Amino acid sequence: MKSWMLAVIVACNVQLVHKSKSSQINYHKSMFTVFSTPSFAGRMPLSTNCILSPYSEVTKRLLADSSVNCQVQNHVHKSSYTEQTWHKTKINPVLRYFRTLKWTPIPLGLGFAYIAYQQFRHVKKRENAKLTSSSNPSDLLASNVYVSMYTMLPLRAVSRFWGWMNTFEVPQPIRTPLLNLFISMYGCNIKEAIVDDVKQYRSLGEFFSRQLKKETRPVHPGKCLVSPSDGQILHFGKIENGLIEQVKGITYSLKSFLGLDSLSNSSEELSVTDEKYEKSVLKNKDNDLYHCVIYLAPGDYHKFHSPAEWSVNSRKHFHGELLSVRPGIVNWISGLFAINERVVYTGEWHHGYFSLTAVGATNVGSIKVYFDETLQTNRKKCMKGTYEDRQFSPAVSITGKGQPFGEFNLGSTIVLVFEAPKDIHFNVAAGQKIKYGELISFCNSTSSNT
């Protein structure tokens, strides 16, 4: 009778717990071993309920004993493993350091940006080596592949972040050392400012747009052209055949820079040549077109002023890239000023056509013009290569040279394109440092002293 009961219990429990054939054999052996021990018989007597129920007392007892044994074995294994690991970590400080590190996912775009930046640095070093060994300007220009790699960098997002940083109020404890560091790095003369105490500037933007003492920037008198800002003269001269000279031997199109807004017939605009466009801009056919490019370094005074007495008729805002406009990059990328985002203000002065263009750059996505409150540059949703046009009616009249015009977030570039008689004289030299209000050019027919 006892053997029959054992057979039924074994059959029920094997069917419930173990499925494979090999596990059934092991289970049979364990069951007979358990029932054969006197301690088990005294601890848990058999009954009919135990035999017939699939969740019998015997099953529960067996499962409890097996789980306890497994838990004890796992605890011993984990304890020994933990002690060995702790011993190794305690002996090896390098391993202890690496165990404290945590893996953090890096955005895919940031990784591509880093790769593009490293490749750009490599290319720039190679181009600098070429610059010292070649005398042909065209050999020093970047290829389209290199320019495309440069434009892949998230320069617009970086510029928007820098624009936010400019408005961020610097905490008082670090305000003085931070601004003093910037002043020492770029050679700013804080004594020229009306407020020469750096603690009074709550943000970088307030420091960059600080007001200067009038006696530090006297404006040259007479009907002449003065510098609109502090900076460096990159290039100047006559515009020939509708082409502006960017550097010696390298030109870019006046038509692409200013836009086709001077011709009324749209069908003619598509087929107009650079030379024809230049002639259409001139108000007086006996005059010529000239240009002057002023580069504002980060340490320069960031506001710009009107270079002459003139009236502003229209504004054209070109959406484009925000590449650096440092002289080294200007010499490397052809047509850089026609690629970057820019705001072109056109009108007339006493010699005829006149335009002032504020060119955007890396970290200089924000361009502010005081009389044009609707202007918003470096927007997130805009199509590169397109432009927005605005007509001022009535025209904005600027009655004095040196009148405040606008400001940059950081150093950038201003391009003047103007009509003047053939007897014009430039009072500047390429590479010369200049301050706003200083003389750029005058004509003998209208002397600068009149």
Side-chain angles (χ1 to χ4, degrees):
M1 184 65 181
K2 183 177 181 180
S3 61
W4 178 81
M5 293 175 63
L6 289 173
V8 173
I9 293 172
V10 169
C12 292
N13 284 280
V14 169
Q15 185 179 5
L16 176 65
V17 181
H18 298 280
K19 300 299 181 181
S20 63
K21 186 174 182 180
S22 59
S23 62
Q24 291 180 8
I25 296 173
N26 295 333
Y27 192 77
H28 276 287
K29 292 180 180 180
S30 63
M31 289 295 296
F32 283 111
T33 304
V34 169
F35 285 116
S36 62
T37 57
S39 61
F40 180 82
R43 226 172 24 203
M44 183 179 291
L46 297 175
S47 65
T48 55
N49 293 333
C50 177
I51 296 172
L52 298 177
S53 175
Y55 298 100
S56 62
E57 298 177 8
V58 176
T59 305
K60 295 176 181 178
R61 188 71 180 183
L62 290 173
L63 293 176
D65 291 344
S66 62
S67 64
V68 170
N69 293 333
C70 291
Q71 289 177 3
V72 171
Q73 292 177 1
N74 291 336
H75 177 71
V76 173
H77 176 70
K78 290 181 179 179
S79 298
S80 60
Y81 176 76
T82 304
E83 290 177 358
Q84 293 176 2
T85 305
W86 171 251
H87 182 67
K88 291 181 180 179
T89 305
K90 187 176 181 180
I91 296 175
N92 193 343
V94 178
L95 181 61
R96 183 168 66 250
Y97 170 75
F98 279 107
R99 284 180 64 85
T100 59
L101 299 178
K102 294 182 179 180
W103 289 98
T104 302
I106 299 176
L108 187 62
L110 183 61
F112 279 119
Y114 177 75
I115 294 173
Y117 173 72
Q118 292 295 335
Q119 181 63 19
F120 173 74
R121 287 185 59 190
H122 172 71
V123 171
K124 194 67 178 69
K125 288 181 180 179
R126 186 168 58 190
E127 294 300 322
N128 287 337
K130 187 190 297 184
L131 182 64
T132 59
S133 61
S134 177
S135 58
N136 188 1
S138 60
D139 294 339
L140 308 178
L141 295 177
S143 65
N144 293 333
V145 176
Y146 295 154
V147 175
S148 299
M149 291 174 58
Y150 189 12
T151 56
M152 287 174 60
L153 297 175
L155 300 178
R156 300 186 67 87
V158 172
S159 299
R160 281 192 292 269
F161 174 75
W162 180 254
W164 174 82
M165 284 292 295
N166 271 354
T167 60
F168 178 76
E169 185 172 346
V170 182
Q172 186 71 32
I174 65 172
R175 186 178 301 173
T176 300
L178 178 64
L179 293 179
N180 284 334
L181 176 62
F182 185 88
I183 290 171
S184 61
M185 286 178 59
Y186 294 102
C188 304
N189 188 358
I190 193 62
K191 297 300 181 182
E192 295 179 341
I194 296 177
V195 179
D196 57 0
D197 184 9
V198 294
K199 293 181 181 179
Q200 303 300 320
Y201 298 103
R202 295 173 296 178
S203 64
L204 293 175
E206 286 188 3
F207 176 75
F208 294 152
S209 60
R210 61 193 180 276
Q211 293 186 356
L212 302 182
K213 300 173 183 177
K214 290 185 177 180
E215 58 270 20
T216 63
R217 297 293 187 276
V219 178
H220 196 279
K223 292 185 177 181
C224 58
L225 186 68
V226 299
S227 176
S229 64
D230 292 6
Q232 178 184 0
I233 301 294
L234 292 186
H235 207 276
F236 64 94
K238 181 182 176 182
I239 298 176
E240 297 182 355
N241 302 321
L243 300 176
I244 306 176
E245 193 168 26
Q246 179 172 321
V247 295
K248 187 176 181 179
I250 304 300
T251 60
Y252 59 97
S253 171
L254 176 69
K255 177 180 64 176
S256 61
F257 180 71
L258 296 179
L260 294 170
D261 60 343
S262 61
L263 297 177
S264 58
N265 193 333
S266 58
S267 61
E268 293 181 2
E269 292 180 359
L270 300 177
S271 59
V272 65
T273 62
D274 292 325
E275 187 174 358
K276 184 178 180 181
Y277 179 81
E278 178 187 356
K279 293 180 179 179
S280 67
V281 168
L282 291 172
K283 305 298 181 182
N284 187 344
K285 301 306 179 183
D286 295 330
N287 293 340
D288 289 325
L289 277 182
Y290 300 90
H291 78 285
C292 183
V293 182
I294 302 102
Y295 166 68
L296 288 74
D300 289 327
Y301 171 65
H302 292 171
K303 288 185 177 180
F304 52 96
H305 302 249
S306 176
E309 298 174 359
W310 63 301
S311 59
V312 184
N313 299 327
S314 64
R315 178 257 288 169
K316 192 179 291 293
H317 175 203
F318 291 86
H319 302 288
E321 304 291 344
L322 288 177
L323 308 181
S324 173
V325 293
R326 292 188 297 110
I329 303 297
V330 172
N331 296 337
W332 187 53
I333 298 179
S334 178
L336 175 62
F337 299 138
I339 296 174
N340 271 13
E341 182 173 6
R342 60 199 181 277
V343 184
V344 181
Y345 289 92
T346 59
E348 295 184 11
W349 71 325
H350 59 278
H351 289 307
Y353 177 84
F354 193 91
S355 72
L356 183 151
T357 302
V359 182
T362 306
N363 296 335
V364 199
S366 176
I367 302 173
K368 181 179 180 181
V369 175
Y370 300 133
F371 62 83
D372 191 1
E373 298 179 354
T374 62
L375 175 65
Q376 185 179 1
T377 57
N378 194 16
R379 297 200 300 266
K380 290 184 179 180
K381 296 181 179 180
C382 62
M383 185 177 295
K384 297 178 182 179
T386 61
Y387 65 87
E388 300 171 3
D389 198 359
R390 180 188 177 185
Q391 301 293 324
F392 296 101
S393 181
V396 179
S397 179
I398 300 178
T399 58
K401 298 190 301 293
Q403 181 176 328
F405 198 95
E407 63 184 66
F408 294 109
N409 269 350
L410 200 63
S412 190
T413 299
I414 292 178
V415 180
L416 302 176
V417 176
F418 54 94
E419 180 180 350
K422 299 180 184 298
D423 61 350
I424 188 173
H425 292 278
F426 283 94
N427 198 50
V428 293
Q432 171 188 335
K433 294 291 291 183
I434 195 170
K435 298 184 182 298
Y436 99 78
E438 293 183 351
L439 178 65
I440 288 182
S441 66
F442 65 93
C443 301
N444 290 334
S445 56
T446 53
S447 174
S448 62
N449 296 323
T450 61

